[in-house]
Amino acid sequence: MEKLAINGGEPVRKEKIFYGRQWIEEDDVQAVSDTLRSNYITCGPKVSEFEKRLAEYTGAKYAVALSNGTAALHCACIAAGIGPGDEVITTPITFAASANCALYCGARPVFADINPETYNIDPKSIREKITDKTKAIVAVDFTGQAVEYDEIRKICDEFNLILIEDAAHSLATSYNGKKIGSLADMTTFSFHPVKTITGGEGGAITTNDDELYKRLVLAHIHGITHDESLMEGAPHEGIWYYEQISLGFNYRITDFQAALLLSQLKKLDSFAARRKEIVKRYNEAFKDLEGIIIQKEIPQSDTCRHLYIIRLDLDKLTCTRRQFFDAMSAENVQCQIHYIPVYWFPFYQHMGYEKGLCPNAEEIYKGIMSIPLYPRMTDEDVEDVIHAVKKVVENYKR
Ligand SMILES: *Cc1c(COP(=O)(O)O)cnc(C)c1O
Protein backbone atom coordinates (compact mmCIF):
# COMPACT_ATOMS: atom_id res chain seq x y z
CA MET A 1 0.00 0.00 0.00
CA GLU A 2 1.24 3.50 -0.87
CA LYS A 3 1.93 5.71 2.12
CA LEU A 4 -0.36 8.75 2.27
CA ALA A 5 1.29 12.15 1.86
CA ILE A 6 -0.50 13.25 5.03
CA ASN A 7 1.49 10.53 6.86
CA GLY A 8 4.81 11.53 5.28
CA GLY A 9 4.56 9.67 1.93
CA GLU A 10 5.11 11.08 -1.58
CA PRO A 11 2.12 13.10 -2.82
CA VAL A 12 0.43 11.84 -5.99
CA ARG A 13 1.38 15.07 -7.79
CA LYS A 14 3.75 17.99 -7.26
CA GLU A 15 1.46 20.83 -8.30
CA LYS A 16 -1.82 21.50 -6.56
CA ILE A 17 -4.95 20.98 -8.65
CA PHE A 18 -8.20 22.79 -7.74
CA TYR A 19 -11.81 21.69 -8.12
CA GLY A 20 -12.59 24.15 -10.89
CA ARG A 21 -11.08 26.96 -12.91
CA GLN A 22 -11.55 29.05 -16.04
CA TRP A 23 -9.93 28.53 -19.42
CA ILE A 24 -8.90 31.84 -20.97
CA GLU A 25 -6.89 31.85 -24.20
CA GLU A 26 -5.29 34.56 -26.37
CA ASP A 27 -8.42 34.99 -28.51
CA ASP A 28 -10.47 35.70 -25.35
CA VAL A 29 -7.93 38.34 -24.27
CA GLN A 30 -8.01 39.83 -27.78
CA ALA A 31 -11.83 40.04 -27.72
CA VAL A 32 -11.73 41.95 -24.42
CA SER A 33 -8.97 44.34 -25.48
CA ASP A 34 -10.71 45.07 -28.81
CA THR A 35 -13.83 46.05 -26.90
CA LEU A 36 -11.87 48.18 -24.43
CA ARG A 37 -10.55 50.14 -27.44
CA SER A 38 -14.06 50.61 -28.87
CA ASN A 39 -16.64 53.31 -28.09
CA TYR A 40 -18.60 51.20 -25.67
CA ILE A 41 -17.30 49.76 -22.45
CA THR A 42 -20.59 49.32 -20.62
CA CYS A 43 -23.83 48.03 -22.25
CA GLY A 44 -23.23 48.24 -25.99
CA PRO A 45 -23.28 46.05 -29.09
CA LYS A 46 -21.46 43.11 -27.46
CA VAL A 47 -24.12 42.79 -24.77
CA SER A 48 -26.91 42.68 -27.37
CA GLU A 49 -24.97 40.21 -29.48
CA PHE A 50 -24.31 37.95 -26.52
CA GLU A 51 -28.01 38.01 -25.59
CA LYS A 52 -28.89 37.03 -29.14
CA ARG A 53 -26.34 34.19 -29.25
CA LEU A 54 -27.31 32.84 -25.84
CA ALA A 55 -30.99 32.80 -26.82
CA GLU A 56 -30.05 30.91 -29.99
CA TYR A 57 -27.89 28.45 -28.08
CA THR A 58 -30.50 27.66 -25.46
CA GLY A 59 -33.45 27.77 -27.84
CA ALA A 60 -35.18 30.44 -25.75
CA LYS A 61 -37.06 33.37 -27.27
CA TYR A 62 -35.26 35.98 -25.16
CA ALA A 63 -32.08 36.35 -23.13
CA VAL A 64 -31.14 39.20 -20.78
CA ALA A 65 -27.46 39.49 -19.81
CA LEU A 66 -26.63 41.10 -16.49
CA SER A 67 -23.99 41.48 -13.82
CA ASN A 68 -24.06 38.04 -12.15
CA GLY A 69 -26.13 34.93 -11.44
CA THR A 70 -27.40 36.29 -8.13
CA ALA A 71 -28.75 39.41 -9.85
CA ALA A 72 -30.36 37.08 -12.41
CA LEU A 73 -32.19 35.23 -9.63
CA HIS A 74 -33.23 38.52 -8.02
CA CYS A 75 -34.64 39.87 -11.31
CA ALA A 76 -36.43 36.58 -11.98
CA CYS A 77 -38.15 36.86 -8.59
CA ILE A 78 -39.11 40.48 -9.31
CA ALA A 79 -40.50 39.54 -12.73
CA ALA A 80 -42.43 36.67 -11.11
CA GLY A 81 -44.10 39.27 -8.87
CA ILE A 82 -42.80 37.68 -5.69
CA GLY A 83 -43.33 39.83 -2.59
CA PRO A 84 -43.97 39.87 1.15
CA GLY A 85 -46.16 37.01 2.34
CA ASP A 86 -45.16 34.73 -0.54
CA GLU A 87 -43.27 31.45 -0.24
CA VAL A 88 -40.68 30.18 -2.70
CA ILE A 89 -39.68 26.53 -2.65
CA THR A 90 -36.06 25.58 -3.30
CA THR A 91 -33.41 23.01 -2.38
CA PRO A 92 -31.05 23.32 0.60
CA ILE A 93 -28.15 21.74 -1.34
CA THR A 94 -27.29 24.81 -3.39
CA PHE A 95 -25.41 28.07 -3.27
CA ALA A 96 -27.15 30.45 -0.85
CA ALA A 97 -28.25 32.79 -3.67
CA SER A 98 -30.95 30.30 -4.80
CA ALA A 99 -32.76 30.97 -1.50
CA ASN A 100 -31.58 34.52 -0.79
CA CYS A 101 -33.38 35.79 -3.93
CA ALA A 102 -36.75 35.12 -2.24
CA LEU A 103 -35.61 37.10 0.82
CA TYR A 104 -34.56 40.05 -1.39
CA CYS A 105 -38.25 40.31 -2.36
CA GLY A 106 -39.54 40.00 1.19
CA ALA A 107 -40.73 36.42 0.60
CA ARG A 108 -39.89 33.31 2.60
CA PRO A 109 -37.71 30.52 1.18
CA VAL A 110 -39.11 27.06 1.93
CA PHE A 111 -36.76 24.11 1.63
CA ALA A 112 -37.87 20.87 0.00
CA ASP A 113 -35.73 17.76 0.47
CA ILE A 114 -33.54 16.16 -2.19
CA ASN A 115 -33.55 12.78 -3.87
CA PRO A 116 -30.80 10.80 -2.08
CA GLU A 117 -29.45 9.34 -5.34
CA THR A 118 -29.54 12.26 -7.79
CA TYR A 119 -29.12 14.97 -5.09
CA ASN A 120 -31.65 17.12 -6.97
CA ILE A 121 -34.83 18.53 -5.42
CA ASP A 122 -37.44 15.79 -4.96
CA PRO A 123 -40.83 16.54 -6.59
CA LYS A 124 -42.57 14.51 -3.85
CA SER A 125 -41.08 16.77 -1.21
CA ILE A 126 -42.06 19.87 -3.21
CA ARG A 127 -45.70 18.70 -3.08
CA GLU A 128 -45.50 18.32 0.69
CA LYS A 129 -44.18 21.87 1.11
CA ILE A 130 -46.82 23.66 -0.98
CA THR A 131 -49.18 25.99 0.89
CA ASP A 132 -51.63 28.61 -0.34
CA LYS A 133 -48.76 31.12 -0.05
CA THR A 134 -46.47 29.28 -2.45
CA LYS A 135 -45.77 31.44 -5.49
CA ALA A 136 -42.75 29.95 -7.24
CA ILE A 137 -40.22 27.16 -7.33
CA VAL A 138 -36.51 27.81 -7.76
CA ALA A 139 -35.29 24.47 -9.10
CA VAL A 140 -31.51 24.07 -9.19
CA ASP A 141 -29.93 21.74 -11.76
CA PHE A 142 -27.40 20.65 -9.16
CA THR A 143 -23.94 19.66 -10.54
CA GLY A 144 -25.38 20.26 -14.04
CA GLN A 145 -27.91 17.44 -14.02
CA ALA A 146 -31.41 18.58 -15.03
CA VAL A 147 -34.08 18.39 -12.34
CA GLU A 148 -37.10 16.11 -12.87
CA TYR A 149 -38.56 18.81 -15.02
CA ASP A 150 -41.75 17.04 -16.23
CA GLU A 151 -42.86 16.26 -12.67
CA ILE A 152 -42.03 19.77 -11.46
CA ARG A 153 -43.82 21.37 -14.43
CA LYS A 154 -46.91 19.32 -13.59
CA ILE A 155 -46.85 20.60 -10.01
CA CYS A 156 -46.45 24.19 -11.24
CA ASP A 157 -49.43 23.83 -13.60
CA GLU A 158 -51.56 22.22 -10.91
CA PHE A 159 -50.87 24.92 -8.29
CA ASN A 160 -50.34 27.85 -10.65
CA LEU A 161 -46.70 28.40 -9.68
CA ILE A 162 -43.91 30.09 -11.60
CA LEU A 163 -40.93 27.87 -12.35
CA ILE A 164 -37.53 29.53 -12.09
CA GLU A 165 -34.68 27.24 -13.02
CA ASP A 166 -31.34 28.09 -11.44
CA ALA A 167 -29.09 26.78 -14.20
CA ALA A 168 -25.83 28.18 -12.83
CA HIS A 169 -24.45 24.62 -13.17
CA SER A 170 -26.30 23.37 -16.23
CA LEU A 171 -25.47 25.49 -19.27
CA ALA A 172 -25.11 22.99 -22.20
CA THR A 173 -27.21 20.30 -20.48
CA SER A 174 -30.33 19.02 -22.28
CA TYR A 175 -33.52 17.54 -20.89
CA ASN A 176 -35.33 15.17 -23.26
CA GLY A 177 -33.37 16.67 -26.14
CA LYS A 178 -34.16 20.31 -25.26
CA LYS A 179 -31.41 22.62 -24.05
CA ILE A 180 -31.67 24.01 -20.55
CA GLY A 181 -32.84 27.61 -20.91
CA SER A 182 -35.97 26.95 -22.94
CA LEU A 183 -37.89 24.80 -20.44
CA ALA A 184 -38.78 26.79 -17.32
CA ASP A 185 -40.69 30.10 -17.19
CA MET A 186 -37.33 31.75 -16.52
CA THR A 187 -33.86 30.20 -16.43
CA THR A 188 -30.93 31.90 -14.74
CA PHE A 189 -27.23 31.42 -15.52
CA SER A 190 -23.98 32.44 -13.85
CA PHE A 191 -20.68 33.16 -15.57
CA HIS A 192 -18.43 33.13 -12.51
CA PRO A 193 -14.95 31.75 -13.36
CA VAL A 194 -15.67 28.22 -12.08
CA LYS A 195 -18.85 27.94 -14.16
CA THR A 196 -19.00 26.41 -17.65
CA ILE A 197 -18.16 29.68 -19.45
CA THR A 198 -17.03 32.91 -17.81
CA GLY A 199 -17.14 36.67 -18.13
CA GLY A 200 -15.08 37.18 -14.94
CA GLU A 201 -18.48 37.85 -13.40
CA GLY A 202 -21.75 37.76 -15.30
CA GLY A 203 -25.20 36.28 -15.46
CA ALA A 204 -28.20 35.88 -17.72
CA ILE A 205 -31.88 35.01 -17.73
CA THR A 206 -33.69 33.32 -20.58
CA THR A 207 -37.45 33.18 -21.10
CA ASN A 208 -40.03 32.49 -23.81
CA ASP A 209 -42.59 34.83 -22.25
CA ASP A 210 -43.05 38.36 -23.68
CA GLU A 211 -44.41 39.86 -20.45
CA LEU A 212 -41.71 38.33 -18.22
CA TYR A 213 -39.07 39.56 -20.67
CA LYS A 214 -40.33 43.15 -20.41
CA ARG A 215 -40.21 42.99 -16.62
CA LEU A 216 -36.71 41.46 -16.62
CA VAL A 217 -35.40 44.24 -18.85
CA LEU A 218 -36.85 46.87 -16.50
CA ALA A 219 -35.70 45.13 -13.31
CA HIS A 220 -32.01 45.15 -14.27
CA ILE A 221 -31.87 48.79 -15.45
CA HIS A 222 -33.54 50.88 -12.73
CA GLY A 223 -37.09 50.27 -14.02
CA ILE A 224 -36.26 52.85 -16.70
CA THR A 225 -37.51 52.55 -20.27
CA HIS A 226 -36.89 54.36 -23.57
CA ASP A 227 -39.65 52.31 -25.20
CA GLU A 228 -42.55 54.63 -26.04
CA SER A 229 -45.08 51.83 -26.05
CA LEU A 230 -44.37 51.27 -22.34
CA MET A 231 -44.49 54.92 -21.28
CA GLU A 232 -47.49 56.26 -19.46
CA GLY A 233 -46.72 59.78 -18.24
CA ALA A 234 -45.74 63.03 -19.92
CA PRO A 235 -45.77 63.36 -23.69
CA HIS A 236 -42.65 62.28 -25.51
CA GLU A 237 -40.66 65.53 -25.52
CA GLY A 238 -37.58 64.53 -27.50
CA ILE A 239 -35.02 61.81 -27.95
CA TRP A 240 -33.57 62.39 -24.45
CA TYR A 241 -36.88 61.42 -22.89
CA TYR A 242 -37.28 58.29 -20.80
CA GLU A 243 -39.47 57.16 -17.92
CA GLN A 244 -39.01 55.13 -14.79
CA ILE A 245 -42.10 52.94 -14.61
CA SER A 246 -41.11 50.42 -11.91
CA LEU A 247 -38.43 49.98 -9.25
CA GLY A 248 -35.35 48.37 -10.70
CA PHE A 249 -31.66 47.98 -9.94
CA ASN A 250 -28.39 48.64 -11.72
CA TYR A 251 -27.41 45.11 -12.68
CA ARG A 252 -25.74 46.00 -15.99
CA ILE A 253 -22.95 43.88 -17.42
CA THR A 254 -20.11 45.61 -19.28
CA ASP A 255 -19.49 45.30 -23.00
CA PHE A 256 -15.99 43.87 -22.45
CA GLN A 257 -17.41 41.12 -20.25
CA ALA A 258 -19.95 40.38 -22.97
CA ALA A 259 -17.07 40.25 -25.50
CA LEU A 260 -15.34 37.66 -23.30
CA LEU A 261 -18.59 35.72 -22.99
CA LEU A 262 -19.12 35.75 -26.76
CA SER A 263 -15.63 34.38 -27.23
CA GLN A 264 -16.24 31.73 -24.56
CA LEU A 265 -19.65 30.79 -25.96
CA LYS A 266 -17.95 29.73 -29.21
CA LYS A 267 -16.01 27.15 -27.18
CA LEU A 268 -18.94 25.95 -25.09
CA ASP A 269 -19.55 22.78 -27.08
CA SER A 270 -15.90 21.76 -26.91
CA PHE A 271 -15.78 22.61 -23.18
CA ALA A 272 -18.89 20.50 -22.65
CA ALA A 273 -17.47 17.58 -24.64
CA ARG A 274 -14.30 17.61 -22.52
CA ARG A 275 -16.31 17.76 -19.28
CA LYS A 276 -18.34 14.75 -20.44
CA GLU A 277 -15.17 12.84 -21.31
CA ILE A 278 -13.72 13.41 -17.84
CA VAL A 279 -16.99 12.45 -16.14
CA LYS A 280 -17.08 9.21 -18.14
CA ARG A 281 -13.54 8.37 -17.05
CA TYR A 282 -14.34 9.15 -13.38
CA ASN A 283 -17.51 7.06 -13.50
CA GLU A 284 -15.57 4.09 -14.88
CA ALA A 285 -12.90 4.46 -12.21
CA PHE A 286 -15.28 4.83 -9.26
CA LYS A 287 -18.35 2.76 -10.10
CA ASP A 288 -17.05 -0.40 -8.41
CA LEU A 289 -14.83 1.26 -5.83
CA GLU A 290 -15.91 0.22 -2.32
CA GLY A 291 -16.23 3.28 -0.09
CA ILE A 292 -17.28 5.65 -2.90
CA ILE A 293 -20.84 6.25 -4.12
CA ILE A 294 -21.35 8.05 -7.42
CA GLN A 295 -24.21 10.34 -8.35
CA LYS A 296 -27.16 8.76 -10.16
CA GLU A 297 -28.20 10.23 -13.51
CA ILE A 298 -31.78 10.34 -14.71
CA PRO A 299 -32.10 9.18 -18.34
CA GLN A 300 -33.89 12.40 -19.40
CA SER A 301 -30.81 14.49 -18.62
CA ASP A 302 -27.95 14.68 -21.12
CA THR A 303 -25.68 16.31 -18.59
CA CYS A 304 -22.78 18.67 -18.97
CA ARG A 305 -21.43 18.36 -15.45
CA HIS A 306 -20.22 21.46 -13.64
CA LEU A 307 -19.24 19.47 -10.53
CA TYR A 308 -18.17 15.88 -10.01
CA ILE A 309 -19.17 14.69 -6.57
CA ILE A 310 -17.94 11.58 -4.85
CA ARG A 311 -19.97 10.55 -1.83
CA LEU A 312 -18.01 8.73 0.86
CA ASP A 313 -19.68 5.59 2.14
CA LEU A 314 -18.48 6.27 5.67
CA ASP A 315 -19.59 2.84 6.98
CA LYS A 316 -16.99 1.28 4.68
CA LEU A 317 -14.18 3.66 5.65
CA THR A 318 -12.27 4.15 8.90
CA CYS A 319 -11.86 7.91 8.36
CA THR A 320 -14.15 10.91 8.68
CA ARG A 321 -14.98 13.13 5.69
CA ARG A 322 -12.63 15.74 7.14
CA GLN A 323 -9.74 13.23 7.26
CA PHE A 324 -10.45 12.14 3.69
CA PHE A 325 -10.55 15.78 2.54
CA ASP A 326 -7.27 16.61 4.32
CA ALA A 327 -5.61 13.47 2.93
CA MET A 328 -6.65 14.53 -0.62
CA SER A 329 -5.23 18.04 -0.01
CA ALA A 330 -1.93 16.53 1.10
CA GLU A 331 -1.86 14.58 -2.19
CA ASN A 332 -2.18 18.03 -3.84
CA VAL A 333 -5.75 17.44 -4.99
CA GLN A 334 -7.77 20.31 -3.57
CA CYS A 335 -11.41 19.26 -3.25
CA GLN A 336 -14.40 21.37 -2.18
CA ILE A 337 -17.75 20.66 -0.51
CA HIS A 338 -20.91 21.61 -2.41
CA TYR A 339 -22.88 22.52 -0.39
CA ILE A 340 -23.51 23.10 3.30
CA PRO A 341 -27.34 22.97 3.61
CA VAL A 342 -28.38 26.62 3.22
CA TYR A 343 -30.65 26.69 6.28
CA TRP A 344 -27.78 25.59 8.53
CA PHE A 345 -26.14 29.00 8.14
CA PRO A 346 -26.45 31.24 11.21
CA PHE A 347 -28.42 33.82 9.22
CA TYR A 348 -31.10 31.22 8.45
CA GLN A 349 -30.95 29.64 11.89
CA HIS A 350 -31.61 33.08 13.44
CA MET A 351 -34.73 33.33 11.26
CA GLY A 352 -36.02 30.15 12.88
CA TYR A 353 -35.17 27.41 10.35
CA GLU A 354 -34.44 24.26 12.29
CA LYS A 355 -31.89 21.54 11.70
CA GLY A 356 -33.51 18.29 10.66
CA LEU A 357 -35.80 20.03 8.16
CA CYS A 358 -34.52 18.04 5.15
CA PRO A 359 -33.13 14.71 6.39
CA ASN A 360 -31.84 13.45 3.01
CA ALA A 361 -29.96 16.69 2.35
CA GLU A 362 -28.37 16.61 5.81
CA GLU A 363 -27.39 12.95 5.46
CA ILE A 364 -25.88 13.42 2.00
CA TYR A 365 -24.00 16.52 3.12
CA LYS A 366 -21.97 14.41 5.59
CA GLY A 367 -20.28 12.41 2.82
CA ILE A 368 -20.07 14.56 -0.31
CA MET A 369 -16.91 15.99 -1.82
CA SER A 370 -16.33 17.68 -5.20
CA ILE A 371 -13.18 16.52 -6.98
CA PRO A 372 -11.50 18.56 -9.75
CA LEU A 373 -13.50 18.92 -12.98
CA TYR A 374 -12.79 21.50 -15.65
CA PRO A 375 -12.13 21.23 -19.39
CA ARG A 376 -8.52 22.33 -19.25
CA MET A 377 -7.56 19.27 -17.16
CA THR A 378 -5.12 17.02 -19.02
CA ASP A 379 -5.55 13.24 -19.12
CA GLU A 380 -2.63 13.12 -16.69
CA ASP A 381 -4.45 15.45 -14.27
CA VAL A 382 -7.52 13.21 -14.45
CA GLU A 383 -5.47 10.09 -13.74
CA ASP A 384 -3.76 11.86 -10.81
CA VAL A 385 -7.13 12.63 -9.26
CA ILE A 386 -8.29 9.02 -9.70
CA HIS A 387 -5.00 7.80 -8.28
CA ALA A 388 -5.38 10.06 -5.23
CA VAL A 389 -8.97 8.94 -4.55
CA LYS A 390 -8.01 5.26 -4.84
CA LYS A 391 -4.93 5.75 -2.68
CA VAL A 392 -6.89 7.47 0.10
CA VAL A 393 -9.72 4.89 -0.08
CA GLU A 394 -7.20 2.04 0.06
CA ASN A 395 -5.56 3.49 3.18
CA TYR A 396 -8.85 4.02 5.00
CA LYS A 397 -10.65 0.85 3.91
CA ARG A 398 -12.43 -0.81 6.80
C1 LIG B 1 -22.75 30.34 -8.80
C2 LIG B 1 -24.14 30.12 -8.41
C3 LIG B 1 -25.07 31.17 -8.24
C4 LIG B 1 -24.68 32.62 -8.21
O1 LIG B 1 -24.01 33.07 -9.27
P1 LIG B 1 -23.06 34.38 -9.16
O2 LIG B 1 -22.80 34.68 -10.61
O3 LIG B 1 -21.85 33.99 -8.41
O4 LIG B 1 -23.84 35.44 -8.49
C5 LIG B 1 -26.39 30.85 -8.00
N1 LIG B 1 -26.79 29.57 -7.89
C6 LIG B 1 -25.93 28.55 -7.99
C7 LIG B 1 -26.45 27.15 -7.86
C8 LIG B 1 -24.58 28.78 -8.24
O5 LIG B 1 -23.73 27.75 -8.32
Side-chain angles (χ1 to χ4, degrees):
M1 188 159 40
E2 288 177 277
K3 191 172 181 184
L4 290 176
I6 204 169
N7 296 330
E10 268 299 302
V12 158
R13 52 185 282 133
K14 292 246 155 11
E15 202 190 328
K16 200 142 205 129
I17 185 169
F18 293 89
Y19 86 92
R21 65 167 301 185
Q22 72 275 14
W23 191 350
I24 302 290
E25 295 172 293
E26 266 320 300
D27 57 340
D28 298 302
V29 174
Q30 192 62 48
V32 173
S33 52
D34 287 350
T35 304
L36 285 172
R37 291 188 185 98
S38 77
N39 288 332
Y40 291 91
I41 58 169
T42 188
C43 285
K46 294 295 175 193
V47 173
S48 316
E49 193 184 338
F50 176 65
E51 291 176 332
K52 190 159 164 266
R53 295 275 170 266
L54 184 68
E56 278 166 14
Y57 185 88
T58 57
K61 191 164 173 192
Y62 303 107
V64 177
L66 71 184
S67 50
N68 56 65
T70 304
L73 284 163
H74 186 189
C75 288
C77 286
I78 294 169
I82 291 163
D86 293 335
E87 292 178 351
V88 177
I89 297 177
T90 192
T91 169
I93 300 294
T94 185
F95 183 61
S98 316
N100 288 345
C101 60
L103 293 171
Y104 294 158
C105 293
R108 182 177 163 80
V110 171
F111 296 96
D113 210 350
I114 59 168
N115 176 310
E117 291 183 308
T118 65
Y119 316 149
N120 262 333
I121 195 165
D122 183 352
K124 281 201 296 292
S125 181
I126 293 178
R127 274 185 186 276
E128 289 163 14
K129 303 285 169 126
I130 288 174
T131 70
D132 52 11
K133 294 180 181 158
T134 310
K135 181 104 182 195
I137 297 173
V138 175
V140 181
D141 299 319
F142 179 57
T143 72
Q145 173 169 215
V147 292
E148 291 172 67
Y149 179 81
D150 285 342
E151 286 74 10
I152 295 175
R153 181 85 263 175
K154 225 165 89 189
I155 295 170
C156 288
D157 291 346
E158 201 176 318
F159 295 94
N160 195 24
L161 309 177
I162 291 179
L163 179 54
I164 299 168
E165 192 165 5
D166 180 346
H169 298 182
S170 59
L171 182 63
T173 290
S174 306
Y175 179 91
N176 279 340
K178 282 180 101 174
K179 278 263 158 58
I180 296 298
S182 61
L183 293 153
D185 296 309
M186 289 174 274
T187 305
T188 66
F189 297 97
S190 163
F191 307 119
H192 178 277
V194 297
K195 305 289 162 68
T196 312
I197 60 170
T198 189
E201 295 280 348
I205 313 158
T206 58
T207 184
N208 293 323
D209 186 291
D210 299 357
E211 184 56 38
L212 290 174
Y213 173 68
K214 273 186 214 156
R215 293 186 208 156
L216 291 169
V217 170
L218 287 168
H220 89 292
I221 41 169
H222 311 277
I224 284 175
T225 187
H226 292 266
D227 180 349
E228 252 182 272
S229 70
L230 296 177
M231 292 181 188
E232 48 188 79
H236 194 283
E237 298 176 53
I239 56 163
W240 70 86
Y241 188 73
Y242 59 81
E243 284 184 359
Q244 183 189 344
I245 58 171
S246 63
L247 185 61
F249 294 80
N250 178 1
Y251 284 156
R252 275 192 293 259
I253 189 169
T254 66
D255 229 41
F256 52 94
Q257 287 173 295
L260 177 54
L261 283 164
L262 274 165
S263 178
Q264 291 259 301
L265 192 60
K266 288 187 199 140
K267 306 170 187 186
L268 177 54
D269 284 333
S270 70
F271 284 178
R274 180 62 182 153
R275 283 179 179 272
K276 285 182 181 180
E277 227 169 61
I278 299 169
V279 167
K280 193 161 165 250
R281 178 69 193 108
Y282 279 161
N283 282 341
E284 272 165 22
F286 302 137
K287 72 175 191 296
D288 297 320
L289 185 63
E290 283 269 300
I292 299 294
I293 301 165
I294 61 174
Q295 188 182 356
K296 192 180 156 192
E297 287 263 341
I298 57 167
Q300 296 91 327
S301 181
D302 178 4
T303 306
C304 169
R305 257 337 155 84
H306 158 60
L307 297 173
Y308 192 95
I309 290 189
I310 54 171
R311 183 177 167 210
L312 308 181
D313 191 349
L314 293 164
D315 294 337
K316 301 219 167 84
L317 300 168
T318 58
C319 62
T320 61
R321 194 250 309 262
R322 171 69 193 273
Q323 285 169 323
F324 199 107
F325 186 95
D326 291 347
M328 290 291 286
S329 301
E331 301 300 334
N332 282 327
V333 177
Q334 192 58 59
C335 299
Q336 185 52 276
I337 308 299
H338 299 97
Y339 292 95
I340 300 164
V342 173
Y343 62 81
W344 279 14
F345 291 129
F347 182 71
Y348 278 83
Q349 292 285 299
H350 298 329
M351 277 188 287
Y353 291 85
E354 279 173 18
K355 292 197 176 178
L357 199 58
C358 298
N360 290 342
E362 295 186 17
E363 183 56 33
I364 266 83
Y365 165 69
K366 290 183 202 157
I368 51 177
M369 194 177 301
S370 305
I371 62 175
L373 174 64
Y374 53 90
R376 202 180 180 178
M377 285 175 83
T378 63
D379 289 345
E380 206 182 348
D381 291 333
V382 175
E383 295 312 315
D384 282 348
V385 173
I386 293 170
H387 181 177
V389 171
K390 288 188 167 171
K391 182 178 170 186
V392 176
V393 167
E394 163 105 311
N395 271 271
Y396 289 129
K397 217 160 52 189
R398 199 171 275 285

